[in-house]
Each structure stands twice: as C-alpha cells, then as structure tokens.
Amino acid sequence: MPYWLMKTEPDAFSLQDLQRRGQEPWDGIRNYQARNFLRSMQTGDEVFIYHSRVPVPGIVGTAEVVCAAYPDPTQFDPQSKYYDPASHPDRPRWDLVEVAYRRTFAHGIALDILRTVPEFSASQLIRKGNRLSILPITSSQWQYVLQCAG
DNA sequence: GCCAACGTTGGC
DNA sequence: GCCAACGTTGGC
C-alpha cells in the first residue's frame, strides 16, 4: 500500500512546521491499529497530511516516508508525554516513521468535500467517530485529491 | 468548549 | 472474559 494519510493538529504540529523542519520523526502514535499501519510503511510511500481540530478539517498537502518504522524513543522517556512505562527496550511497543515535506496544496480538500466523493465513501476517514490517526489511501483516492488540489 | 464515539484499563 | 469507568480524539 503506497499511499497513506496522517492526521495532525496544527496547533501542535502543522504541515507548515514540517515544511520548516524538512523532515521529522512522526512520534507519539499510541494506537495499535495506527502502529500496525506505521510498520507496513516503506521508504518512498506517499502521505496526505490532514489537519484536524481546526475550523475546516481536511487534507492540506503531502509528505513522503523517508525512513521506515523503528522504535519511538519517546516511549522510554519519563519526561515525555508519550512515555509508556509498560514498554521495554528489548520489546518496544511503539514505532515511528520519519516523513519529509513535499507540498502544500493551493486548495486544501475539506472533510465536507471528501464526504461527498464516491472514492472516499468506504474510507474510515469519513466515518462518524473515526479516531484513527493513520490510515491507508487508495490510488484512486490519491489521484482524486491531487486533481482537486490543482 | 462541548460531547459523542471510541480504545484501554482494571475490578470482579 | 465481561463490562463499567476512564481518558482521548476530533467534529462541531
């Protein structure tokens, strides 16, 4: 599966922040389904960046996986808000991937729009109560959004 | 800021 | 193994 969507709250870390940094370890994922998706990501996979908890949630741009999954160091750091005392270094529970900034869409694609698009009708993204922060994207979904984004 | 929906935890 | 309680996510 070469396409993914990753959510972020721009108040905490935005696509613009990623653009400034160039590349970033996507840490803090603490959900097993999302972690399993992380583990199946490969270098070169393409990623939609989605802004949540904003007035108009939606897809705002793209990134690329530049480093495959490895153990998220924040799980072992007692100072981190992502610290997981139940995880042990010999058997890490949580992973991260590193992503690099690729582009910012001239026109973001709002969740409201995605709800009306047949390509997304089966996507977990538009399901009520969906809390999955990383999810797979089909090639037709990827192409649809790129076309809309201009 | 509210709260529905969901995942996780822990008592039993 | 059930399920109530709790914490978190994320649209609104």
Side-chain angles (χ1 to χ4, degrees), chain A residues 23 25 29 33-34 57 79 82 85 89 91 97 111 115 117 128 138:
Chain A
Q23 180 174 337
I29 300 298
Q33 196 178 355
Q79 312 301 333
Y82 301 125
R91 203 162 179 274
V97 300
L111 178 60
R115 287 189 199 284
V117 175
K128 186 178 183 185
T138 67

mmCIF file with all atom_site columns, all heavy atoms in Angstrom, chain A residues 23 25 29 33-34 57 79 82 85 89 91 97 111 115 117 128 138:
data_model
loop_
_atom_site.group_PDB
_atom_site.id
_atom_site.type_symbol
_atom_site.label_atom_id
_atom_site.label_alt_id
_atom_site.label_comp_id
_atom_site.label_asym_id
_atom_site.label_entity_id
_atom_site.label_seq_id
_atom_site.pdbx_PDB_ins_code
_atom_site.Cartn_x
_atom_site.Cartn_y
_atom_site.Cartn_z
_atom_site.occupancy
_atom_site.B_iso_or_equiv
_atom_site.pdbx_formal_charge
_atom_site.auth_seq_id
_atom_site.auth_comp_id
_atom_site.auth_asym_id
_atom_site.auth_atom_id
_atom_site.pdbx_PDB_model_num
ATOM 1   N N   . GLN A 1 23  ? 12.171  17.505 7.533  1.00 0.00 ? 23  GLN A N   1
ATOM 2   C CA  . GLN A 1 23  ? 11.981  16.082 7.823  1.00 0.00 ? 23  GLN A CA  1
ATOM 3   C C   . GLN A 1 23  ? 11.738  15.925 9.310  1.00 0.00 ? 23  GLN A C   1
ATOM 4   O O   . GLN A 1 23  ? 12.310  16.672 10.099 1.00 0.00 ? 23  GLN A O   1
ATOM 5   C CB  . GLN A 1 23  ? 13.236  15.315 7.399  1.00 0.00 ? 23  GLN A CB  1
ATOM 6   C CG  . GLN A 1 23  ? 13.180  13.822 7.635  1.00 0.00 ? 23  GLN A CG  1
ATOM 7   C CD  . GLN A 1 23  ? 14.394  13.119 7.049  1.00 0.00 ? 23  GLN A CD  1
ATOM 8   O OE1 . GLN A 1 23  ? 15.031  13.636 6.138  1.00 0.00 ? 23  GLN A OE1 1
ATOM 9   N NE2 . GLN A 1 23  ? 14.715  11.952 7.566  1.00 0.00 ? 23  GLN A NE2 1
ATOM 10  N N   . PRO A 1 25  ? 10.625  12.966 12.665 1.00 0.00 ? 25  PRO A N   1
ATOM 11  C CA  . PRO A 1 25  ? 10.136  11.691 13.193 1.00 0.00 ? 25  PRO A CA  1
ATOM 12  C C   . PRO A 1 25  ? 8.694   11.866 13.668 1.00 0.00 ? 25  PRO A C   1
ATOM 13  O O   . PRO A 1 25  ? 8.418   12.753 14.484 1.00 0.00 ? 25  PRO A O   1
ATOM 14  C CB  . PRO A 1 25  ? 11.067  11.401 14.383 1.00 0.00 ? 25  PRO A CB  1
ATOM 15  C CG  . PRO A 1 25  ? 12.117  12.465 14.364 1.00 0.00 ? 25  PRO A CG  1
ATOM 16  C CD  . PRO A 1 25  ? 11.597  13.607 13.556 1.00 0.00 ? 25  PRO A CD  1
ATOM 17  N N   . ILE A 1 29  ? 2.549   8.091  18.286 1.00 0.00 ? 29  ILE A N   1
ATOM 18  C CA  . ILE A 1 29  ? 1.409   7.250  17.898 1.00 0.00 ? 29  ILE A CA  1
ATOM 19  C C   . ILE A 1 29  ? 1.226   6.150  18.944 1.00 0.00 ? 29  ILE A C   1
ATOM 20  O O   . ILE A 1 29  ? 2.130   5.347  19.178 1.00 0.00 ? 29  ILE A O   1
ATOM 21  C CB  . ILE A 1 29  ? 1.634   6.639  16.493 1.00 0.00 ? 29  ILE A CB  1
ATOM 22  C CG1 . ILE A 1 29  ? 1.801   7.734  15.436 1.00 0.00 ? 29  ILE A CG1 1
ATOM 23  C CG2 . ILE A 1 29  ? 0.477   5.698  16.138 1.00 0.00 ? 29  ILE A CG2 1
ATOM 24  C CD1 . ILE A 1 29  ? 0.602   8.637  15.276 1.00 0.00 ? 29  ILE A CD1 1
ATOM 25  N N   . GLN A 1 33  ? -3.800  -0.040 15.937 1.00 0.00 ? 33  GLN A N   1
ATOM 26  C CA  . GLN A 1 33  ? -4.111  -0.116 14.512 1.00 0.00 ? 33  GLN A CA  1
ATOM 27  C C   . GLN A 1 33  ? -3.232  0.855  13.721 1.00 0.00 ? 33  GLN A C   1
ATOM 28  O O   . GLN A 1 33  ? -2.674  0.497  12.672 1.00 0.00 ? 33  GLN A O   1
ATOM 29  C CB  . GLN A 1 33  ? -5.597  0.197  14.279 1.00 0.00 ? 33  GLN A CB  1
ATOM 30  C CG  . GLN A 1 33  ? -6.075  -0.219 12.912 1.00 0.00 ? 33  GLN A CG  1
ATOM 31  C CD  . GLN A 1 33  ? -7.560  0.042  12.693 1.00 0.00 ? 33  GLN A CD  1
ATOM 32  O OE1 . GLN A 1 33  ? -8.274  0.460  13.610 1.00 0.00 ? 33  GLN A OE1 1
ATOM 33  N NE2 . GLN A 1 33  ? -8.023  -0.179 11.480 1.00 0.00 ? 33  GLN A NE2 1
ATOM 34  N N   . ALA A 1 34  ? -3.076  2.058  14.264 1.00 0.00 ? 34  ALA A N   1
ATOM 35  C CA  . ALA A 1 34  ? -2.207  3.039  13.604 1.00 0.00 ? 34  ALA A CA  1
ATOM 36  C C   . ALA A 1 34  ? -0.758  2.546  13.593 1.00 0.00 ? 34  ALA A C   1
ATOM 37  O O   . ALA A 1 34  ? -0.047  2.685  12.596 1.00 0.00 ? 34  ALA A O   1
ATOM 38  C CB  . ALA A 1 34  ? -2.314  4.387  14.313 1.00 0.00 ? 34  ALA A CB  1
ATOM 39  N N   . PRO A 1 57  ? -11.507 21.117 8.906  1.00 0.00 ? 57  PRO A N   1
ATOM 40  C CA  . PRO A 1 57  ? -10.588 19.979 8.833  1.00 0.00 ? 57  PRO A CA  1
ATOM 41  C C   . PRO A 1 57  ? -10.496 19.451 7.411  1.00 0.00 ? 57  PRO A C   1
ATOM 42  O O   . PRO A 1 57  ? -11.478 19.479 6.666  1.00 0.00 ? 57  PRO A O   1
ATOM 43  C CB  . PRO A 1 57  ? -11.217 18.936 9.759  1.00 0.00 ? 57  PRO A CB  1
ATOM 44  C CG  . PRO A 1 57  ? -12.572 19.421 10.110 1.00 0.00 ? 57  PRO A CG  1
ATOM 45  C CD  . PRO A 1 57  ? -12.701 20.839 9.711  1.00 0.00 ? 57  PRO A CD  1
ATOM 46  N N   . GLN A 1 79  ? 10.205  11.840 30.803 1.00 0.00 ? 79  GLN A N   1
ATOM 47  C CA  . GLN A 1 79  ? 9.864   13.262 30.684 1.00 0.00 ? 79  GLN A CA  1
ATOM 48  C C   . GLN A 1 79  ? 8.865   13.513 29.559 1.00 0.00 ? 79  GLN A C   1
ATOM 49  O O   . GLN A 1 79  ? 8.289   14.598 29.458 1.00 0.00 ? 79  GLN A O   1
ATOM 50  C CB  . GLN A 1 79  ? 11.126  14.109 30.415 1.00 0.00 ? 79  GLN A CB  1
ATOM 51  C CG  . GLN A 1 79  ? 12.293  13.811 31.333 1.00 0.00 ? 79  GLN A CG  1
ATOM 52  C CD  . GLN A 1 79  ? 11.953  14.040 32.796 1.00 0.00 ? 79  GLN A CD  1
ATOM 53  O OE1 . GLN A 1 79  ? 11.081  14.855 33.120 1.00 0.00 ? 79  GLN A OE1 1
ATOM 54  N NE2 . GLN A 1 79  ? 12.616  13.316 33.686 1.00 0.00 ? 79  GLN A NE2 1
ATOM 55  N N   . TYR A 1 82  ? 4.556   11.132 25.921 1.00 0.00 ? 82  TYR A N   1
ATOM 56  C CA  . TYR A 1 82  ? 4.271   9.859  25.250 1.00 0.00 ? 82  TYR A CA  1
ATOM 57  C C   . TYR A 1 82  ? 4.898   8.669  25.963 1.00 0.00 ? 82  TYR A C   1
ATOM 58  O O   . TYR A 1 82  ? 4.893   7.552  25.452 1.00 0.00 ? 82  TYR A O   1
ATOM 59  C CB  . TYR A 1 82  ? 4.759   9.902  23.798 1.00 0.00 ? 82  TYR A CB  1
ATOM 60  C CG  . TYR A 1 82  ? 4.139   11.004 22.974 1.00 0.00 ? 82  TYR A CG  1
ATOM 61  C CD1 . TYR A 1 82  ? 4.943   11.931 22.309 1.00 0.00 ? 82  TYR A CD1 1
ATOM 62  C CD2 . TYR A 1 82  ? 2.760   11.109 22.854 1.00 0.00 ? 82  TYR A CD2 1
ATOM 63  C CE1 . TYR A 1 82  ? 4.372   12.942 21.547 1.00 0.00 ? 82  TYR A CE1 1
ATOM 64  C CE2 . TYR A 1 82  ? 2.186   12.117 22.096 1.00 0.00 ? 82  TYR A CE2 1
ATOM 65  C CZ  . TYR A 1 82  ? 3.003   13.036 21.445 1.00 0.00 ? 82  TYR A CZ  1
ATOM 66  O OH  . TYR A 1 82  ? 2.441   14.038 20.699 1.00 0.00 ? 82  TYR A OH  1
ATOM 67  N N   . PRO A 1 85  ? 5.398   3.440  30.443 1.00 0.00 ? 85  PRO A N   1
ATOM 68  C CA  . PRO A 1 85  ? 6.185   2.635  31.386 1.00 0.00 ? 85  PRO A CA  1
ATOM 69  C C   . PRO A 1 85  ? 6.039   1.136  31.162 1.00 0.00 ? 85  PRO A C   1
ATOM 70  O O   . PRO A 1 85  ? 6.857   0.353  31.636 1.00 0.00 ? 85  PRO A O   1
ATOM 71  C CB  . PRO A 1 85  ? 5.618   3.045  32.762 1.00 0.00 ? 85  PRO A CB  1
ATOM 72  C CG  . PRO A 1 85  ? 4.287   3.642  32.482 1.00 0.00 ? 85  PRO A CG  1
ATOM 73  C CD  . PRO A 1 85  ? 4.365   4.228  31.101 1.00 0.00 ? 85  PRO A CD  1
ATOM 74  N N   . PRO A 1 89  ? 12.670  -1.747 26.415 1.00 0.00 ? 89  PRO A N   1
ATOM 75  C CA  . PRO A 1 89  ? 13.581  -1.590 25.264 1.00 0.00 ? 89  PRO A CA  1
ATOM 76  C C   . PRO A 1 89  ? 13.851  -2.884 24.503 1.00 0.00 ? 89  PRO A C   1
ATOM 77  O O   . PRO A 1 89  ? 14.112  -2.845 23.309 1.00 0.00 ? 89  PRO A O   1
ATOM 78  C CB  . PRO A 1 89  ? 14.869  -1.051 25.914 1.00 0.00 ? 89  PRO A CB  1
ATOM 79  C CG  . PRO A 1 89  ? 14.401  -0.349 27.145 1.00 0.00 ? 89  PRO A CG  1
ATOM 80  C CD  . PRO A 1 89  ? 13.221  -1.153 27.635 1.00 0.00 ? 89  PRO A CD  1
ATOM 81  N N   . ARG A 1 91  ? 11.697  -5.103 23.938 1.00 0.00 ? 91  ARG A N   1
ATOM 82  C CA  . ARG A 1 91  ? 10.489  -5.434 23.191 1.00 0.00 ? 91  ARG A CA  1
ATOM 83  C C   . ARG A 1 91  ? 9.605   -4.186 23.060 1.00 0.00 ? 91  ARG A C   1
ATOM 84  O O   . ARG A 1 91  ? 8.575   -4.084 23.711 1.00 0.00 ? 91  ARG A O   1
ATOM 85  C CB  . ARG A 1 91  ? 9.720   -6.569 23.904 1.00 0.00 ? 91  ARG A CB  1
ATOM 86  C CG  . ARG A 1 91  ? 8.816   -7.334 22.971 1.00 0.00 ? 91  ARG A CG  1
ATOM 87  C CD  . ARG A 1 91  ? 8.434   -8.680 23.603 1.00 0.00 ? 91  ARG A CD  1
ATOM 88  N NE  . ARG A 1 91  ? 7.533   -9.414 22.703 1.00 0.00 ? 91  ARG A NE  1
ATOM 89  C CZ  . ARG A 1 91  ? 6.209   -9.250 22.688 1.00 0.00 ? 91  ARG A CZ  1
ATOM 90  N NH1 . ARG A 1 91  ? 5.647   -8.395 23.495 1.00 0.00 ? 91  ARG A NH1 1
ATOM 91  N NH2 . ARG A 1 91  ? 5.469   -9.941 21.831 1.00 0.00 ? 91  ARG A NH2 1
ATOM 92  N N   . VAL A 1 97  ? 7.704   6.467  12.026 1.00 0.00 ? 97  VAL A N   1
ATOM 93  C CA  . VAL A 1 97  ? 8.406   6.610  10.750 1.00 0.00 ? 97  VAL A CA  1
ATOM 94  C C   . VAL A 1 97  ? 8.831   8.070  10.634 1.00 0.00 ? 97  VAL A C   1
ATOM 95  O O   . VAL A 1 97  ? 8.291   8.929  11.329 1.00 0.00 ? 97  VAL A O   1
ATOM 96  C CB  . VAL A 1 97  ? 7.532   6.236  9.521  1.00 0.00 ? 97  VAL A CB  1
ATOM 97  C CG1 . VAL A 1 97  ? 7.072   4.789  9.596  1.00 0.00 ? 97  VAL A CG1 1
ATOM 98  C CG2 . VAL A 1 97  ? 6.360   7.187  9.368  1.00 0.00 ? 97  VAL A CG2 1
ATOM 99  N N   . LEU A 1 111 ? -12.867 18.049 4.689  1.00 0.00 ? 111 LEU A N   1
ATOM 100 C CA  . LEU A 1 111 ? -13.590 16.827 5.045  1.00 0.00 ? 111 LEU A CA  1
ATOM 101 C C   . LEU A 1 111 ? -15.013 16.852 4.478  1.00 0.00 ? 111 LEU A C   1
ATOM 102 O O   . LEU A 1 111 ? -15.520 15.831 4.004  1.00 0.00 ? 111 LEU A O   1
ATOM 103 C CB  . LEU A 1 111 ? -13.622 16.678 6.570  1.00 0.00 ? 111 LEU A CB  1
ATOM 104 C CG  . LEU A 1 111 ? -14.386 15.474 7.124  1.00 0.00 ? 111 LEU A CG  1
ATOM 105 C CD1 . LEU A 1 111 ? -13.788 14.171 6.628  1.00 0.00 ? 111 LEU A CD1 1
ATOM 106 C CD2 . LEU A 1 111 ? -14.409 15.521 8.643  1.00 0.00 ? 111 LEU A CD2 1
ATOM 107 N N   . ARG A 1 115 ? -16.563 13.846 2.077  1.00 0.00 ? 115 ARG A N   1
ATOM 108 C CA  . ARG A 1 115 ? -17.769 13.081 2.402  1.00 0.00 ? 115 ARG A CA  1
ATOM 109 C C   . ARG A 1 115 ? -18.678 12.875 1.184  1.00 0.00 ? 115 ARG A C   1
ATOM 110 O O   . ARG A 1 115 ? -19.462 11.934 1.154  1.00 0.00 ? 115 ARG A O   1
ATOM 111 C CB  . ARG A 1 115 ? -18.580 13.798 3.486  1.00 0.00 ? 115 ARG A CB  1
ATOM 112 C CG  . ARG A 1 115 ? -17.994 13.748 4.863  1.00 0.00 ? 115 ARG A CG  1
ATOM 113 C CD  . ARG A 1 115 ? -19.001 14.286 5.868  1.00 0.00 ? 115 ARG A CD  1
ATOM 114 N NE  . ARG A 1 115 ? -18.376 14.678 7.131  1.00 0.00 ? 115 ARG A NE  1
ATOM 115 C CZ  . ARG A 1 115 ? -17.977 13.808 8.054  1.00 0.00 ? 115 ARG A CZ  1
ATOM 116 N NH1 . ARG A 1 115 ? -18.135 12.526 7.854  1.00 0.00 ? 115 ARG A NH1 1
ATOM 117 N NH2 . ARG A 1 115 ? -17.423 14.229 9.165  1.00 0.00 ? 115 ARG A NH2 1
ATOM 118 N N   . VAL A 1 117 ? -17.534 12.521 -1.961 1.00 0.00 ? 117 VAL A N   1
ATOM 119 C CA  . VAL A 1 117 ? -16.771 11.944 -3.060 1.00 0.00 ? 117 VAL A CA  1
ATOM 120 C C   . VAL A 1 117 ? -16.888 10.421 -3.035 1.00 0.00 ? 117 VAL A C   1
ATOM 121 O O   . VAL A 1 117 ? -16.565 9.804  -2.024 1.00 0.00 ? 117 VAL A O   1
ATOM 122 C CB  . VAL A 1 117 ? -15.285 12.351 -2.939 1.00 0.00 ? 117 VAL A CB  1
ATOM 123 C CG1 . VAL A 1 117 ? -14.456 11.668 -4.003 1.00 0.00 ? 117 VAL A CG1 1
ATOM 124 C CG2 . VAL A 1 117 ? -15.149 13.865 -3.030 1.00 0.00 ? 117 VAL A CG2 1
ATOM 125 N N   . LYS A 1 128 ? -18.273 8.451  11.114 1.00 0.00 ? 128 LYS A N   1
ATOM 126 C CA  . LYS A 1 128 ? -18.541 9.185  12.343 1.00 0.00 ? 128 LYS A CA  1
ATOM 127 C C   . LYS A 1 128 ? -17.791 8.552  13.502 1.00 0.00 ? 128 LYS A C   1
ATOM 128 O O   . LYS A 1 128 ? -17.768 7.348  13.660 1.00 0.00 ? 128 LYS A O   1
ATOM 129 C CB  . LYS A 1 128 ? -20.044 9.188  12.625 1.00 0.00 ? 128 LYS A CB  1
ATOM 130 C CG  . LYS A 1 128 ? -20.431 10.053 13.791 1.00 0.00 ? 128 LYS A CG  1
ATOM 131 C CD  . LYS A 1 128 ? -21.935 10.050 13.984 1.00 0.00 ? 128 LYS A CD  1
ATOM 132 C CE  . LYS A 1 128 ? -22.321 10.976 15.125 1.00 0.00 ? 128 LYS A CE  1
ATOM 133 N NZ  . LYS A 1 128 ? -23.743 10.923 15.429 1.00 0.00 ? 128 LYS A NZ  1
ATOM 134 N N   . THR A 1 138 ? -6.256  4.769  -1.106 1.00 0.00 ? 138 THR A N   1
ATOM 135 C CA  . THR A 1 138 ? -6.172  4.038  -2.364 1.00 0.00 ? 138 THR A CA  1
ATOM 136 C C   . THR A 1 138 ? -5.601  4.945  -3.460 1.00 0.00 ? 138 THR A C   1
ATOM 137 O O   . THR A 1 138 ? -5.606  6.175  -3.322 1.00 0.00 ? 138 THR A O   1
ATOM 138 C CB  . THR A 1 138 ? -7.551  3.536  -2.806 1.00 0.00 ? 138 THR A CB  1
ATOM 139 O OG1 . THR A 1 138 ? -8.359  4.680  -3.129 1.00 0.00 ? 138 THR A OG1 1
ATOM 140 C CG2 . THR A 1 138 ? -8.236  2.724  -1.713 1.00 0.00 ? 138 THR A CG2 1
#
